[in-house]
Amino acid sequence: MARGDSPQDSYHLVGISFFILGLGTLLPWNFFITAIPYFQGRLVEANSTAGPLGTNHTEPVDTFSFNNWMTLLSQLPLLLFTLLNSFLYQCIPETVRILGSLLVILLLFALTAVLVKVDMNPGTFFSITMASIWFINSFGAILQGSLFGQVGTMPRTYSTLFLSGQGLAGIFAALAMLLSMASGVDAQTSALGYFITPCVGILMSIVCYLSLSHLEFARYHLAKKPSQPQAHELETKVELLQSDERNGIPNSPQEPALTLDLTPEKAPEEPQKPGKPSVFTVFQKIWLTALCLVLVFTVTLSVFPAITAMVTSSTSPGKWSQFFNPICCFLLFNIMDWVGRSLTSYFLWPDEDSRLLPLLVGLRFLFVPLFMLCHVPERSRLPILFPQDAYFITFMLLFAISNGYLVSLTMCLAPRQVLPQEREVAGALMTFFLALGLSCGASLSFLFKALL
């Protein structure tokens, strides 16, 4: 891993640290969306039929539109801080951004865990939870952008480890939910154990970050930082994307694996021009690919988890109906999304010159009515046309794998459409449109929920 006379990573401690830091960046989003049944249970006035984690699992009540607001307030900070990164990088030292963000996230998760044992009015609980979600995801966006900058100074193997941790965050949260539900303890204890888990994860991330300054291998590479943080962050993202594509390591549903193909052989044959590439010129070349990325995430976040988390099993109440949504919605989505992102390591189809990509992206809009017509008991307008569990599972399989593959594909194709010196700008633009698609989907989820 090290070159020349550089120090060695003894016992792979630096690699393990960056893996845990990657996991910690996306624990907040995944632990909140996976705990939707708990929050729905807390937001009803009477909950006499509550099961593990505070919900009856047969007729979920969402009177506060919790799913929709949670999704929106999780994605807007990502869009906001994508735009504010250059300002933050110039004004706030890196150590303050990373360590401060981790500490704030830890405190807010501890507050969420404490509230499990506190009885309060549903409206008050909703307001406190929404505020926590906003601030947790705001600091999470700062944390993730700052760590991208650090990991970019390391050998590419460490980029892969960082992205591996991010890719496992969703699966980790889903498994934590299943274990807490299967523990057999009362609802409060189950929920408390569930929310203590990410607190432990964030504490481990803090320890890992603090340990980097004491590890010679990390000090050697982290000292080689350029003087312009913003430009460095963009270069870091491009390097991470290339590493991700070659190793098949995905990201989470919130922050996808940005797998850019940086091979120069398909770059347009144009004379290289001196000076900084024009953002408008680059946008003209990649606008269709960027639009496809926006539409992929618009579809995904418009129904996941706002609609999909409301789908219940059509079987009689029992163990399967209790575990149906955590397994068939969250765990299945994260696994198949990971598979979809990994497929771009083996082939890229369609290519950047094909018009099939917009068609495939457009076909994903079919998932919106398909999920809305599944077994969602809480509805007043649309009928249930797909009551059997097998329909929902099939739709989720195709939905998740297509999300992962098309996101990864669009991020791979964008830099192939520009000159080599324009790829950094293309990567930054695609990152912005990624956040824009997430925010658009979260906003649309309110409309689709109202149409049920």
Side-chain angles (χ1 to χ4, degrees):
M1 289 182 289
R3 293 177 296 182
D5 57 352
S6 62
Q8 300 295 316
D9 184 8
S10 302
Y11 304 104
H12 305 289
L13 292 177
V14 177
I16 294 171
S17 295
F18 275 110
F19 176 85
I20 294 174
L21 284 167
L23 183 72
T25 58
L26 293 181
L27 281 182
W29 158 254
N30 286 288
F31 265 81
F32 270 103
I33 66 167
T34 309
I36 283 176
Y38 158 76
F39 291 110
Q40 288 177 340
R42 287 293 301 267
L43 293 173
V44 293
E45 295 289 351
N47 194 31
S48 58
T49 57
L53 290 174
T55 183
N56 58 18
H57 296 279
T58 56
E59 294 189 10
V61 179
D62 195 18
T63 53
F64 286 82
S65 294
F66 177 86
N67 301 2
N68 307 77
W69 281 110
M70 180 208 62
T71 306
L72 182 63
L73 295 181
S74 296
Q75 304 312 322
L76 284 181
L78 179 64
L79 180 62
L80 176 64
F81 286 100
T82 298
L83 299 174
L84 292 179
N85 264 348
S86 58
F87 171 78
L88 291 172
Y89 274 36
Q90 292 173 7
C91 300
I92 305 175
E94 185 177 71
T95 302
V96 175
R97 293 197 308 270
I98 295 175
L99 196 56
S101 296
L102 284 169
L103 288 172
V104 172
I105 291 171
L106 174 62
L107 289 174
L108 290 174
F109 256 123
L111 172 64
T112 305
V114 168
L115 290 180
V116 170
K117 293 289 188 178
V118 178
D119 292 327
M120 64 176 61
N121 178 273
T124 304
F125 179 78
F126 176 78
S127 300
I128 294 174
T129 302
M130 288 300 112
S132 296
I133 288 173
W134 171 268
F135 286 109
I136 283 178
N137 283 280
S138 296
F139 283 97
I142 298 171
L143 172 67
Q144 188 166 222
S146 301
L147 286 174
F148 268 133
Q150 279 210 336
V151 77
T153 65
M154 310 295 294
R156 287 184 178 175
T157 303
Y158 294 84
S159 301
T160 300
L161 289 169
F162 182 79
L163 291 167
S164 298
Q166 287 192 319
L168 290 176
I171 298 174
F172 181 74
L175 291 176
M177 168 66 82
L178 290 172
L179 287 174
S180 64
M181 292 173 60
S183 62
V185 298
D186 62 274
Q188 272 198 347
T189 305
S190 175
L192 182 63
Y194 176 79
F195 285 113
I196 287 176
T197 304
C199 292
V200 175
I202 299 300
L203 270 175
M204 291 176 61
S205 296
I206 293 173
V207 172
C208 288
Y209 178 71
L210 292 175
S211 70
L212 291 177
S213 61
H214 301 284
L215 298 172
E216 186 181 4
F217 182 82
R219 289 200 306 269
Y220 173 82
H221 287 280
L222 293 177
K224 302 183 297 183
K225 291 191 176 182
S227 58
Q228 295 182 348
Q230 182 185 13
H232 174 57
E233 186 203 4
L234 299 179
E235 292 170 1
T236 296
K237 288 181 179 178
V238 171
E239 180 177 314
L240 287 172
L241 306 183
Q242 180 184 29
S243 172
D244 186 39
E245 177 195 351
R246 292 179 177 177
N247 293 280
I249 303 297
N251 208 326
S252 77
Q254 179 192 9
E255 186 71 15
L258 308 180
T259 53
L260 295 182
D261 188 344
L262 305 182
T263 52
E265 63 271 10
K266 290 198 176 183
E269 295 293 335
E270 298 178 18
Q272 295 195 7
K273 301 175 182 179
K276 188 176 180 180
S278 166
V279 173
F280 182 71
T281 300
V282 175
F283 175 72
Q284 284 182 308
K285 297 178 181 180
I286 67 169
W287 71 268
L288 184 59
T289 306
L291 177 62
C292 287
L293 179 65
V294 171
L295 293 178
V296 169
F297 274 112
T298 296
V299 172
T300 299
L301 268 291
S302 66
V303 292
F304 179 88
I307 303 298
T308 59
M310 299 176 67
V311 178
T312 64
S313 175
S314 58
T315 60
S316 56
K319 283 293 183 182
W320 171 244
S321 62
Q322 182 182 358
F323 286 90
F324 172 78
N325 206 267
I327 293 175
C328 298
C329 178
F330 297 106
L331 184 61
L332 186 60
F333 178 90
N334 282 288
I335 292 175
M336 297 313 298
D337 182 71
W338 182 89
V339 171
R341 296 176 196 273
S342 301
L343 290 177
T344 54
S345 299
Y346 304 101
F347 60 87
L348 293 176
W349 178 89
D351 60 30
E352 66 269 23
D353 299 321
S354 174
R355 294 296 170 178
L356 280 175
L357 179 59
L359 175 62
L360 294 175
V361 171
L363 287 175
R364 291 193 82 245
F365 278 91
L366 293 174
F367 286 116
V368 175
L370 290 178
F371 281 124
M372 292 176 68
L373 296 173
C374 282
H375 191 258
V376 179
E378 187 187 350
R379 61 172 68 235
S380 57
R381 294 178 178 85
L382 296 178
I384 296 177
L385 297 184
F386 306 108
Q388 285 78 19
D389 297 354
Y391 285 116
F392 178 74
I393 294 172
T394 302
F395 297 156
M396 183 57 71
L397 282 169
L398 298 173
F399 176 73
I401 199 168
S402 64
N403 177 76
Y405 181 75
L406 290 173
V407 166
S408 189
L409 179 65
T410 54
M411 298 301 292
C412 288
L413 296 182
R416 290 180 161 214
Q417 299 171 312
V418 299
L419 296 171
Q421 68 268 24
E422 296 173 332
R423 286 174 181 159
E424 182 179 307
V425 175
L429 281 174
M430 292 298 282
T431 302
F432 167 75
F433 284 109
L434 180 154
L436 179 62
L438 292 169
S439 299
C440 289
S443 301
L444 269 180
S445 67
F446 287 89
L447 172 63
F448 297 146
K449 167 77 182 312
L451 292 176
L452 275 178

